[in-house]
């Protein structure tokens, strides 16, 4: 299975500051078709995970442009510019290159 | 509007069985892959499996962690996705979500395995 490893945030993050969440995969998620098979989700307290980013850098419908995804084949970053109260929760990366799909352990964002 | 509504959760004894349902609406059900994902309390989500769409013969893939105990099926006339869970263990305790690709998730249903 592909192992997804997420970094921690130096919580709490001051409101209005930027935050970067890292994720590393044990295998390259870059397909020969040029696409990188990585999703980012936000799970707010008490809610289902919500898709933020797919194909490593494409924002899902309705997602604020304060969220951006970048990376290489194995190292990825989700950047949140100007953190707001609604961004609080746990962020997960997930690979969808191979079965079984696998998630990172999560990165918690707290607001100062 | 895409809607996914899980049901069938509850308390079950170790070794028991349970069938979860996911009622889908707002899209052409047969066009989409449908998945089950679970999340133990305070932990990360775990992908359980997928059933493909009509174009791909409704075939299935499973996480090895549940293969042989869990079965995913779909009723394409009623737009319902199922998860049959057998020989349940305490570590199967989790919120169970159905999902249509990565973009749409249900609200989840709690399954507790305990004596």
């Amino acid at each position: 299975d592909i192992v997804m490893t997420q970094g921690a945030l130096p919580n709490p993050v001051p409101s209005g500051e930027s935050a970067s969440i890292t994720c590393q995969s044990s295998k390259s998620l870059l397909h020969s078709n040029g696409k990188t098979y990585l999703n980012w989700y936000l799970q707010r307290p008490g809610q289902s995970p919500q898709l933020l980013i797919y194909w490593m850098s494409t924002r899902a419908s309705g997602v604020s442009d304060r969220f951006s995804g970048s990376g290489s084949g194995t190292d990825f970053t989700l950047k949140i510019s100007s953190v707001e109260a609604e961004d609080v929760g746990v962020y997960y990366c997930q690979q969808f290159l191979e079965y079984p799909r696998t998630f990172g352990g999560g990165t918690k964002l707290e607001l100062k | 509007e895409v809607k996914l509504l899980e049901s069938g959760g509850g308390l079950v004894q170790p070794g028991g069985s349970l069938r979860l349902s996911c009622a889908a609406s707002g899209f052409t059900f047969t066009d989409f892959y449908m998945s089950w994902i679970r999340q133990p309390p305070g932990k990360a989500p775990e992908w359980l499996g997928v059933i493909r769409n009509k174009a791909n013969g409704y075939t299935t893939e499973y996480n090895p962690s549940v293969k042989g105990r869990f079965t995913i099926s779909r009723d394409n006339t009623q737009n319902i996705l199922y998860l049959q869970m057998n020989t349940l263990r305490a570590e199967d305790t989790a919120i169970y979500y159905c999902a249509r690709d990565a973009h749409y998730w249900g609200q989840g249903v709690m399954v507790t395995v305990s004596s």
Side-chain angles (χ1 to χ4, degrees):
Chain A
D1 298 1
I2 298 176
V3 177
M4 306 297 292
T5 304
Q6 292 184 230
L9 273 174
N11 280 315
V13 178
S15 178
E17 294 290 303
S18 66
S20 291
I21 299 170
T22 61
C23 171
Q24 191 171 51
S25 59
S26 62
K27 177 179 178 177
S28 176
L29 303 183
L30 176 60
H31 192 275
S32 56
N33 63 12
K35 294 185 175 182
T36 303
Y37 284 57
L38 181 91
N39 291 329
W40 284 101
Y41 298 87
L42 164 60
Q43 187 172 32
R44 297 185 175 98
Q47 295 186 15
S48 306
Q50 169 199 355
L51 182 68
L52 296 174
I53 302 282
Y54 58 99
W55 298 130
M56 187 180 70
S57 59
T58 302
R59 271 189 303 276
S61 176
V63 173
S64 169
D65 59 6
R66 296 184 298 102
F67 292 90
S68 61
S70 64
S72 62
T74 58
D75 293 275
F76 313 100
T77 302
L78 176 70
K79 183 175 179 181
I80 313 166
S81 63
S82 189
V83 169
E84 299 179 358
E86 66 180 20
D87 303 334
V88 165
V90 181
Y91 291 80
Y92 295 101
C93 58
Q94 180 214 21
Q95 65 81 18
F96 60 105
L97 180 69
E98 294 182 355
Y99 293 118
R101 310 310 196 204
T102 46
F103 291 84
T107 300
K108 190 171 186 178
L109 173 64
E110 298 172 326
L111 199 64
K112 189 174 184 180
Chain B
E1 180 190 3
V2 173
K3 289 186 179 179
L4 300 169
L5 185 62
E6 302 94 339
S7 60
L11 175 65
V12 60
Q13 291 192 336
S17 297
L18 205 60
R19 188 177 79 161
L20 304 183
S21 300
C22 169
S25 61
F27 62 98
T28 304
F29 188 61
T30 53
D31 283 351
F32 290 89
Y33 289 33
M34 297 296 297
S35 300
W36 286 99
I37 300 140
R38 70 182 177 185
Q39 188 172 28
K43 295 188 177 181
E46 178 186 25
W47 180 89
L48 298 178
V50 64
I51 186 164
R52 295 181 176 88
N53 58 6
K54 181 178 180 180
N56 289 280
Y58 302 127
T59 53
T60 54
E61 300 285 345
Y62 293 96
N63 193 319
S65 65
V66 300
K67 191 172 184 178
R69 292 194 304 127
F70 289 11
T71 302
I72 298 173
S73 61
R74 58 195 296 167
D75 181 335
N76 297 304
T77 60
Q78 297 199 63
N79 293 353
I80 300 175
L81 176 72
Y82 295 105
L83 179 66
Q84 176 68 43
M85 303 185 292
N86 298 330
T87 320
L88 284 162
R89 309 163 180 162
E91 53 266 36
D92 295 318
T93 294
I95 296 174
Y96 285 73
Y97 298 98
C98 65
R100 193 207 89 175
D101 45 63
H103 294 253
Y104 297 97
W105 292 50
Q107 87 290 345
V109 64
M110 185 71 202
V111 172
T112 302
V113 184
S114 174
S115 55

